[in-house]
Amino acid sequence: MKKIISSLIVLSVLAACTKHSTTLASYQNTATTLSVPKKFPTPVIPSDNPLTVEGIILGRYLYYDNILSTNGRSCSSCHMPENSFSLPIFITSKGEHVSVPAHVNLAWDPDYTWNGSVTKMDIVGLADFGPAFFNTNMSELTSKLKAHPKYPSLFKQAYDIDDIGKLSPDELQLKIVYAISQFLRTLISSDSKFDKWMRHETMFTDEEMLGYEIFFSEKGDCFHCHDYPLMTSNTFNNTGLDSIHSGQNLGRYLVTGAESDKGKFSAPTLRNIAYTAPYMHDGRFKTLEEVIDFYNSGVHWTSPNIDPIMTKSFKKYGLSLSPVQKSNLLQFLKTLSDTTFLNNKAFKKPLDL
Amino acid sequence: MTIFLRPFISVSMARSFTYLVCFLLVFTGCKKDKKSENPIPDSPVENSLTVHLSYLVDANPLHFEQTEYISAANYPYSVSKLNYYLSQLSLIKSDSSLLVLKNYHYADAAIPETNTFQLGSIPAGHYVGFTCNIGLDSNQNKSNSLAATNDNINMQWPEPMGGGYHFLKLEGYFTDSTKTYGYAMHLGTKACLVKIKLLKALVVKESGNTDLKLSMDLAEWFKNPNTFDFVKDGNYIMGNAIAMKKVTDNGKDVFKLLP
């Protein structure tokens, strides 16, 4: 057994190095790595959920399959590929509006959900089996998966599981969300017009160029929290959306209990931002024009813990952008749309599902 | 290649040894050449030097967000962030020449792992001091010149403002009469490189570890020679050459070597 394991390690390292897929005994999955775009940092892959070719395939099927729920929902019902895996709006049982974050470059994200309540992506999906989302019946799910024409062999290839029925409900849920997370890590965007411009493959229009200069200078000062290449600083900030915080708007405070975290939210990536309306954690802004108006003249300066970056010109509040400058900034934001990503067939629903 | 594709029927010692060798080969083959932070090669460590970075505000311990300090210009203030680069970290030899220990180092005062780092195989002997820059020297201060990491992803100084990296981000809040405002002291670009030189007899031992303890007093950024006034000089200085220069000039004596 030990020998087999060491041989497996050899093979997985080899596969990781050369991105080869090997055709060996069926229990043997194939280690793989993400192709990290230039100028991106090395993503952190948790050691208990290494990427495998077969795990990603299984994850992709499960992500799009409403077999997981008793109400017809799949992950993709709320994370729709045509919206960069976002959704117009989700309303909680408490009636709170929550904007569904896009799935873009999640492998580089150190925390998940708007207030960073989960630090490991692999387990975010566990909550989805509950009544508010999938309302899953685990024993029914187990029998459906066992009887399915595809899943027994997909589970065998990804995890060397001979009988799905032998897994406890908790084990099965974990296997499911781990495979889905492997798939989610492959959703990499690095081919927007802005990326191409950075790589000297395309030209900006004059308007886009002026917008870029506003974004990446003290004029608009967006880069401090939405920097290239991830278009997020992966920090928690209070941008001054509210002057008083209560309920979900308490943000990061609900996770840490620290006074200084009231009103702070995870700065989201702006990649594919034109596809993920409405905006902010509660979807309060319908359009990017409204977002720009907010940054230009709608910030609540007295908001406790407002990010120091937001109070920059403390005697003359606001960015003082002219209507033309606002429109230039909008044009630049649209260069963050990545149609290669949005049209990528490998990210879409498998055709035989 | 074919070795790897053989079916696993026999488990002889010889074969598993082959696999081990191949594993090692493949493994070393995988290593990429990266721009190194550390010019001293990793030879077997006989001795080491550990650099410890610590922080004070007017000789009081630094507590993020909570404590209010009083600036030289008399504003109560707090600190919420301190991120910076050190570069060309060097020991000064008795003939005044430099032994470069590390090309650059990123520190976030809030992340302990970035405030202690060990350097191996330092020539033992007597040194007369320590020198470094706060910020990146012009060879390294170019956009994308450093390997992309999850740390420095937030430190880029945008191209439209000159490119390179932030040298320093010192942020927090201050109170002017009754109102609280944020402040963001950001330094970057060539003119804002802060040169640090600390003369002190240092002995690096033949074997074992030698500690080098550097303490930054944050209050020094706001005084000596320039009493920095958040209201008059600016609470947000990035892109404001005059204000950045004032803070840069104050930086020369923010560090002390502790015994």
Side-chain angles (χ1 to χ4, degrees):
Chain A
M1 190 55 201
K2 258 188 195 152
K3 304 268 159 56
I4 295 182
I5 290 175
S6 66
S7 319
L8 275 178
I9 296 173
V10 171
L11 276 163
S12 28
V13 171
L14 179 70
C17 258
T18 61
K19 292 180 197 135
H20 256 220
S21 42
T22 41
T23 42
L24 285 164
S26 63
Y27 60 81
Q28 188 148 5
N29 60 25
T30 320
T32 185
T33 52
L34 297 176
S35 52
V36 178
K38 249 182 106 179
K39 296 179 185 167
F40 278 51
T42 311
V44 183
I45 310 287
S47 55
D48 67 344
N49 192 17
L51 286 172
T52 66
V53 172
E54 298 81 355
I56 295 166
I57 294 172
L58 173 63
R60 180 175 165 208
Y61 274 92
L62 291 168
Y63 187 80
Y64 284 100
D65 201 338
N66 63 13
I67 194 171
L68 297 182
S69 75
T70 54
N71 51 22
R73 274 179 181 159
S74 61
C75 303
S76 58
S77 322
C78 296
H79 299 283
M80 303 197 298
E82 59 273 31
N83 291 85
S84 190
F85 304 95
S86 173
L87 170 84
I89 205 74
F90 173 74
I91 301 174
T92 68
S93 53
K94 286 193 240 162
E96 288 173 331
H97 288 222
V98 184
S99 171
V100 179
H103 290 164
V104 177
N105 300 336
L106 287 180
W108 285 269
D109 201 347
D111 46 69
Y112 302 89
T113 76
W114 283 99
N115 59 22
S117 58
V118 189
T119 49
K120 192 171 179 188
M121 178 170 64
D122 309 67
I123 58 166
V124 175
L126 285 178
D128 291 308
F129 295 103
F133 294 87
F134 286 167
N135 195 23
T136 310
N137 176 331
M138 282 311 289
S139 59
E140 193 188 301
L141 172 60
T142 310
S143 1
K144 279 205 241 163
L145 289 173
K146 269 187 77 157
H148 197 272
K150 277 206 146 44
Y151 284 114
S153 74
L154 290 174
F155 272 86
K156 171 80 181 159
Q157 285 161 15
Y159 293 124
D160 194 20
I161 290 170
D162 289 316
D163 183 357
I164 298 169
K166 291 222 168 87
L167 298 172
S168 73
D170 286 353
E171 283 169 338
L172 177 57
Q173 286 189 0
L174 211 57
K175 297 284 180 208
I176 290 172
V177 293
Y178 269 39
I180 293 176
S181 297
Q182 291 188 37
F183 168 64
L184 292 181
R185 290 197 167 89
T186 67
L187 304 178
I188 298 175
S189 163
S190 64
D191 206 28
S192 65
K193 183 168 187 186
F194 182 38
D195 293 294
K196 290 181 185 152
W197 181 80
M198 289 290 279
R199 296 194 298 257
H200 309 291
E201 291 167 15
T202 188
M203 302 267 277
F204 269 168
T205 64
D206 291 349
E207 290 76 20
E208 289 165 346
M209 189 64 207
L210 291 166
Y212 159 82
E213 281 166 3
I214 293 167
F215 191 100
F216 282 99
S217 70
E218 76 279 20
K219 184 71 189 158
D221 203 348
C222 314
F223 65 91
H224 272 123
C225 303
H226 301 288
D227 209 353
Y228 185 80
L230 300 176
M231 307 315 292
T232 166
S233 54
N234 285 336
T235 49
F236 294 97
N237 312 91
N238 173 14
T239 52
L241 282 168
D242 298 295
S243 49
I244 302 165
H245 301 115
S246 63
Q248 65 175 153
N249 296 338
L250 285 163
R252 183 75 180 146
Y253 171 82
L254 297 175
V255 179
T256 65
E259 251 341 274
S260 57
D261 280 336
K262 280 189 178 165
K264 289 187 184 170
F265 286 89
S266 179
T269 180
L270 299 188
R271 287 182 173 274
N272 288 332
I273 195 69
Y275 289 83
T276 64
Y279 302 106
M280 305 303 169
H281 63 277
D282 53 3
R284 67 178 68 187
F285 299 130
K286 308 262 164 316
T287 61
L288 285 173
E289 284 87 341
E290 286 180 36
V291 173
I292 292 172
D293 280 337
F294 158 72
Y295 280 110
N296 191 48
S297 54
V299 173
H300 291 92
W301 306 100
T302 52
S303 183
N305 310 309
I306 186 165
D307 199 280
I309 297 291
M310 304 298 302
T311 61
K312 62 173 194 173
S313 41
F314 62 98
K315 292 292 178 196
K316 41 177 175 58
Y317 295 131
L319 297 176
S320 323
L321 299 177
S322 69
V324 174
Q325 287 172 319
K326 286 199 259 180
S327 127
N328 292 339
L329 183 53
L330 177 66
Q331 292 312 310
F332 170 71
L333 291 179
K334 289 183 177 167
T335 70
L336 299 171
S337 298
D338 182 348
T339 48
T340 313
F341 174 96
L342 292 162
N343 298 330
N344 191 333
K345 290 203 175 67
F347 298 168
K348 298 251 166 95
K349 185 172 178 169
L351 292 174
D352 57 349
L353 187 73
Chain B
M1 272 306 194
T2 47
I3 296 174
F4 298 106
L5 299 176
R6 271 165 159 176
F8 305 113
I9 28 166
S10 142
V11 283
S12 71
M13 281 304 280
R15 171 148 318 154
S16 54
F17 181 69
T18 319
Y19 285 139
L20 180 67
V21 171
C22 295
F23 169 67
L24 288 172
L25 280 177
V26 171
F27 196 74
T28 37
C30 240
K31 260 194 188 164
K32 276 201 204 103
D33 265 350
K34 274 206 211 102
K35 195 167 212 173
S36 170
E37 291 180 23
N38 182 5
I40 297 169
D42 291 337
S43 50
V45 180
E46 285 148 9
N47 71 352
S48 58
L49 183 84
T50 306
V51 181
H52 303 268
L53 301 167
S54 59
Y55 306 94
L56 298 170
V57 187
D58 267 330
N60 302 303
L62 166 63
H63 293 299
F64 283 109
E65 311 272 9
Q66 301 152 18
T67 316
E68 289 231 312
Y69 309 98
I70 306 289
S71 78
N74 258 320
Y75 296 101
Y77 71 106
S78 66
V79 177
S80 59
K81 180 186 275 188
L82 175 64
N83 302 342
Y84 62 99
Y85 278 111
L86 297 178
S87 64
Q88 300 301 327
L89 296 86
S90 314
L91 290 177
I92 310 172
K93 297 184 198 166
S94 47
D95 65 357
S96 304
S97 65
L98 299 182
L99 172 75
V100 181
L101 303 168
K102 200 171 185 201
N103 289 335
Y104 70 93
H105 178 78
Y106 170 79
D108 178 337
I111 303 177
E113 305 90 80
T114 64
N115 291 299
T116 306
F117 50 98
Q118 203 176 35
L119 304 161
S121 298
I122 312 294
H126 292 264
Y127 296 88
V128 296
F130 172 81
T131 164
C132 69
N133 304 312
I134 301 176
L136 296 166
D137 53 280
S138 43
N139 284 331
Q140 302 182 99
N141 192 36
K142 292 174 192 137
S143 296
N144 301 305
S145 78
L146 308 184
T149 67
N150 292 308
D151 298 327
N152 69 27
I153 206 131
N154 293 331
M155 291 297 275
Q156 299 174 97
W157 192 271
E159 279 294 313
M161 299 184 76
Y165 295 85
H166 282 76
F167 295 171
L168 175 90
K169 284 185 185 179
L170 169 59
E171 296 177 10
Y173 301 89
F174 74 98
T175 309
D176 176 23
S177 52
T178 57
K179 276 188 141 184
T180 299
Y181 305 94
Y183 70 84
M185 302 291 119
H186 289 198
L187 298 180
T189 70
K190 202 172 172 184
C192 294
L193 193 68
V194 179
K195 297 214 152 96
I196 301 291
K197 189 172 183 184
L198 300 162
L199 293 178
K200 184 172 182 289
L202 294 161
V203 182
V204 174
K205 291 176 274 188
E206 291 273 349
S207 62
N209 183 62
T210 309
D211 288 311
L212 186 77
K213 295 180 184 166
L214 284 167
S215 170
M216 183 195 279
D217 194 325
L218 274 59
E220 293 291 337
W221 289 108
F222 302 123
K223 62 181 179 203
N224 186 20
N226 308 310
T227 302
F228 192 87
D229 187 315
F230 293 126
V231 174
K232 291 191 196 117
D233 293 315
N235 62 335
Y236 176 101
I237 64 171
M238 185 166 183
N240 173 347
I242 297 168
M244 290 203 298
K245 183 79 173 95
K246 282 194 171 176
V247 176
T248 303
D249 290 346
N250 289 346
K252 64 179 189 326
D253 43 23
V254 293
F255 273 120
K256 281 199 175 58
L257 273 178
L258 300 181

